[in-house]
Amino acid sequence: MAVRDSRISGFFRLTPVERLRKVAELVGLTEQEVATLQMTGSMGIDVADKLVENVISTLEMPLSVAPNFRVNGKDYLVPMAIEEPSVVAACSNAARIAREGGGFRAYATEPLMYGQVQVIGVPDPNVARVEILSRKSEILELANTASQTLKSRGAGARDLQVREVPGLEGQVVVHLVVDVMDAMGANVINTMCERVAPLIEEVTGGRVNLRILSNLTPLRTAYAWARFRKELIGGEEVVNGVVEAWRFAQMDIFRAATHNKGIMNGIDAVLVATLNDWRAAEANAHAYAAIGGYRSLTRYSVDSNGNLIGSIEVPLAVGVVGGTTGAVEKARIARKILGASDARELACILASVGLAQNFAALRALADEGIQRGHMSLHARNVAVTAGASPPEVDAVAKRLVEEGRISVSRAREILQEMRGGGSGNNK
């Protein structure tokens, strides 16, 4: 049933229960559907209602743990929240193989991010640049009044840059370079940009328009590498196949988009589990990959013994404090399971997870094809969608895979046969 009119006066003023009832009335939800939406799990509806607007329910997602990770000599259990089949299994297996080669070695730079102040209507951008830079200390000092916590710990606004953007006449962009320590940093950077805007207008004679952080963080980057021993991944042919698959991604934007999406499959799952901003991470990674022409975020080579060496370079603006990271109890527990003590350690783990996920995907493509690995897990999802009960799922999935017909309609036919109501005709 399509809603005829989506205008609801005062919708935001209603309680979550009242909103749900209103939506049910407008779109024709059944009482069973309403009851399902009223089951909110561990995140109470009151908590959800405080996090975002117009809440009617919550949506659960599988929360898994990927074992086997060793990063910089330390072991981790990695929580991953994701609905896509095979990601967790592939990541765990890749970490096990990397472990045999010494595990992942990783490094994350200082948590430096850009805040942008756009100034328009500048009489002379060259003069404005000099005048802004001559007041640099004053501007930074003013910015740091936005966070006494950062300032007291030797962090906060550290530097200032002035740019002209080609094609934007009469404009300059002021970049505040901010050390945000263990936070993602958006709120404090936005506040700093607001704080310095009047002074920048005074100095330049222009008018400040935008005052906001940039989600591209080339100064806040994580690196990781690992050795995958050739005898554990299928020998020389597979090693060479992975390298050639990576070369393809380096040279072809269509392949690179899918290649980098696979990297973010792993990284995003950890970010969702810990309630970090995965949307900012996606924008950051893909923008970074596009600098100089869209390319792979990973690299692969072969060492003198024929083993595969994989590495990754990925910008990561993540936090272990602030935002919603402490607002939801399951996310807090997920962070406890992970055991990252600060944002740089978290970035090292995330880079390692991204590399593991990418290696697993390329190995599957180079060895047996990605679909075979997906098939059994996808079949289980199809069985659930078709209405299989937990005891029936594996049996239905097994039949689907054996027949090579993984569809909801076929799963329903198999269920009917199993329950004694079918003819046994596979059609």
Side-chain angles (χ1 to χ4, degrees), residues 78-194:
V78 179
M80 304 179 76
I82 190 168
E83 85 296 343
E84 184 170 334
S86 80
V87 169
V88 179
C91 209
S92 303
N93 189 47
R96 179 186 59 80
I97 296 170
R99 190 183 188 90
E100 295 297 321
F104 297 92
R105 292 288 296 166
Y107 175 79
T109 62
E110 291 183 285
L112 300 177
M113 298 180 64
Y114 287 129
Q116 293 190 298
V117 180
Q118 178 196 22
V119 193
I120 64 178
V122 177
D124 189 324
N126 292 313
V127 172
R129 176 185 290 108
V130 174
E131 293 303 312
I132 292 169
L133 292 174
S134 69
R135 306 278 291 271
K136 175 179 174 179
S137 297
E138 184 181 353
I139 294 170
L140 293 178
E141 184 177 348
L142 179 59
N144 281 322
T145 63
S147 175
Q148 292 303 317
T149 300
L150 289 178
K151 184 177 179 181
S152 67
R153 299 177 67 181
R158 286 192 177 182
D159 200 1
L160 179 150
Q161 302 167 355
V162 185
R163 296 173 53 227
E164 288 184 67
V165 179
L168 296 180
E169 299 295 330
Q171 296 191 26
V172 295
V173 179
V174 179
H175 276 191
L176 293 178
V177 181
V178 184
D179 180 347
V180 296
M181 298 193 70
D182 289 325
M184 183 272 179
N187 291 333
V188 70
I189 291 174
N190 291 343
T191 303
M192 287 181 174
C193 290
E194 293 279 356

Side-chain angles (χ1 to χ4, degrees), residues 66-312:
N68 303 323
F69 274 88
R70 176 170 287 172
V71 181
N72 294 336
K74 181 178 175 180
D75 278 31
Y76 296 92
L77 296 175
V78 179
M80 304 179 76
I82 190 168
E83 85 296 343
E84 184 170 334
S86 80
V87 169
V88 179
C91 209
S92 303
N93 189 47
R96 179 186 59 80
I97 296 170
R99 190 183 188 90
E100 295 297 321
F104 297 92
R105 292 288 296 166
Y107 175 79
T109 62
E110 291 183 285
L112 300 177
M113 298 180 64
Y114 287 129
Q116 293 190 298
V117 180
Q118 178 196 22
V119 193
I120 64 178
V122 177
D124 189 324
N126 292 313
V127 172
R129 176 185 290 108
V130 174
E131 293 303 312
I132 292 169
L133 292 174
S134 69
R135 306 278 291 271
K136 175 179 174 179
S137 297
E138 184 181 353
I139 294 170
L140 293 178
E141 184 177 348
L142 179 59
N144 281 322
T145 63
S147 175
Q148 292 303 317
T149 300
L150 289 178
K151 184 177 179 181
S152 67
R153 299 177 67 181
R158 286 192 177 182
D159 200 1
L160 179 150
Q161 302 167 355
V162 185
R163 296 173 53 227
E164 288 184 67
V165 179
L168 296 180
E169 299 295 330
Q171 296 191 26
V172 295
V173 179
V174 179
H175 276 191
L176 293 178
V177 181
V178 184
D179 180 347
V180 296
M181 298 193 70
D182 289 325
M184 183 272 179
N187 291 333
V188 70
I189 291 174
N190 291 343
T191 303
M192 287 181 174
C193 290
E194 293 279 356
R195 192 68 55 88
V196 302
L199 177 56
I200 289 175
E201 285 186 333
E202 176 189 321
V203 169
T204 61
R207 180 174 66 83
V208 167
N209 189 30
L210 299 186
R211 305 165 281 264
I212 191 169
L213 89 160
S214 172
N215 282 124
L216 176 59
T217 67
L219 301 179
R220 193 176 186 181
T221 305
Y223 307 82
W225 76 273
R227 176 180 289 106
F228 303 97
R229 288 164 49 185
K230 62 181 179 182
E231 66 271 18
L232 298 179
I233 64 174
E236 182 180 348
E237 184 176 349
V238 174
V239 169
N240 291 335
V242 170
V243 173
E244 289 306 315
W246 164 71
R247 290 181 192 273
F248 183 20
Q250 282 289 85
M251 302 302 294
D252 182 75
I253 190 171
F254 292 92
R255 173 60 204 147
T258 309
H259 179 100
N260 288 337
K261 186 267 184 183
I263 292 170
M264 299 310 293
N265 273 348
I267 290 174
D268 284 347
V270 185
L271 295 176
V272 172
T274 57
L275 273 191
N276 268 272
D277 189 345
W278 60 269
R279 301 158 304 277
E282 285 277 345
N284 196 6
H286 293 295
Y288 191 78
I291 297 174
Y294 194 82
R295 56 182 170 76
S296 163
L297 293 166
T298 54
R299 293 179 176 272
Y300 290 89
S301 61
V302 183
D303 70 11
S304 58
N305 294 316
N307 299 311
L308 182 69
I309 304 297
S311 63
I312 187 169

